[in-house]
Amino acid sequence: MYNSIETHARITTIEGHILDQQHYYPEATGVLTNLLYDIALAGKVIASNTIRAGLAEILGRTGDTNVQGEQVMKLDRLADMTMRRMNDHTGRLAVMASEENPEPMPIPKDYPIGKYVMLFDPLDGSSNVDFNIPIGTIFAIYRRITPEESGPGTLADCLQPGRKLVTSGYILYGSSTMLVYATNKGVHGFTLDPSVGEFLLSHPNIQIPERATYMSANMGYERYWSRGVQEYTSYLQGSHNGPKHLSLRYIGSLVADFHRNLLSGGVFYYPADHKDPNKPHGKLRLTYEAAPLAFIAEQAGGYASNGVKNILDIQPDELHQRTPLYIGNRDLVEKAEEFIRRYDS
Ligand code: AHM
Ligand code: MG
């Protein structure tokens, strides 16, 4: 954590840190640096709305306007709009896609078209908003693959495997607001200091601890899981010579569950199940949730799989594609693949 000024610890703002990192890339033009900074700004706006979420709901309950006569918006729509508006006019992006919108969102006419593509889940875990439980924003940034001369970015630019990510990250709105991002030069975490309105470097060079502490899954659905996943679960609980020390934690907000396991070591999984025949691949979205977090996990020494292969190697066929997800310490995720191979193939 960053220390008080008396200890003479260096205080690094996110802006300073991103600029420092730019030195790793002599060819960098600064566009990505500014894009990350815009996302951090969007995160601050969403965070400030998040802490008023309960009020907004109460004020909004009687109609669509609050006491100031302003339109009251659900927090997930507001987060979506904030991410979009903060990024649609800057000339850094060619196209965006969001979990909240069925189609890719083109850059509005008359605004310059950039070379990056951003996919995001504006408010992950939004079913927790009403209960004051941490939620988050997840983002994934790729280079466009269609030629720049062809104009605005397209669906093809959005359908890239996670392996092609330039950077990804999340903002966690919890007891404090944190931004964590990864490039192929590592993973870094920043905590928002509300008194100065800046994200300050609090978790440099994050690596998942070798010894895992937690397992995280919605055990309420265990009966819908395959034999392999059920056996894997009992392995995590200590049978089949599995670890004897894992504790169960499940928040139901992927960003928060992932963040805890990133810092403490552990495995999160949301398997395929047969609860809903329309969703045979579980619940989580490959492009907005699984791939960006998989990139962070891998940069932090961990691993993410769909139970069969590396999440980062999956070529998405559709924007809102769902995937099973096993993510966290490499050995524990590889064990999931092993159990699924042994019992489910
Ligand atoms: P959302 O993007 O609509 O919020 O859904 C994704 C969330 C994840 O944050 C979380 O891991 C999962 O849904 C929880 O689902 P469940 O309630 O089925 O356990
Ligand atoms: Mg989500």
Side-chain angles (χ1 to χ4, degrees), residues 149-167:
E149 318 76 75
S150 64
T154 67
L155 177 63
D157 292 305
C158 299
L159 297 181
Q160 300 192 49
R163 188 64 67 203
K164 296 269 163 116
L165 276 162
V166 177
T167 179

Side-chain angles (χ1 to χ4, degrees), residues 99 121 123-125 138 284-285 289:
E99 201 189 288
D121 180 353
L123 210 62
D124 179 62
I138 309 175
L284 300 177
R285 316 283 180 152
E289 296 170 324

Side-chain angles (χ1 to χ4, degrees), residues 226-232 240 337-345:
S226 68
R227 168 94 194 275
V229 179
Q230 289 172 351
E231 295 290 341
Y232 173 60
H240 304 283
E337 291 178 329
E338 200 181 304
F339 275 94
I340 287 167
R341 235 180 355 255
R342 190 179 329 155
Y343 291 100
D344 299 342
S345 49

Side-chain angles (χ1 to χ4, degrees), residues 94-107:
V95 61
M96 282 183 271
S98 149
E99 201 189 288
E100 291 287 316
N101 295 281
E103 303 294 334
M105 300 174 295
I107 299 303

Side-chain angles (χ1 to χ4, degrees), residues 99 121 123-127 218 221 250 252-254 268 270 283-284 289:
E99 201 189 288
D121 180 353
L123 210 62
D124 179 62
S126 53
S127 65
N218 189 338
Y221 300 149
Y250 187 74
S253 272
L254 177 61
F268 169 98
Y270 204 114
K283 179 180 183 187
L284 300 177
E289 296 170 324

Side-chain angles (χ1 to χ4, degrees), residues 207-229:
Q207 285 287 303
I208 301 184
E210 250 169 60
R211 185 179 147 114
T213 307
Y214 298 116
M215 57 180 282
S216 314
N218 189 338
M219 303 292 288
Y221 300 149
E222 193 174 356
R223 67 190 180 286
Y224 300 117
W225 298 342
S226 68
R227 168 94 194 275
V229 179

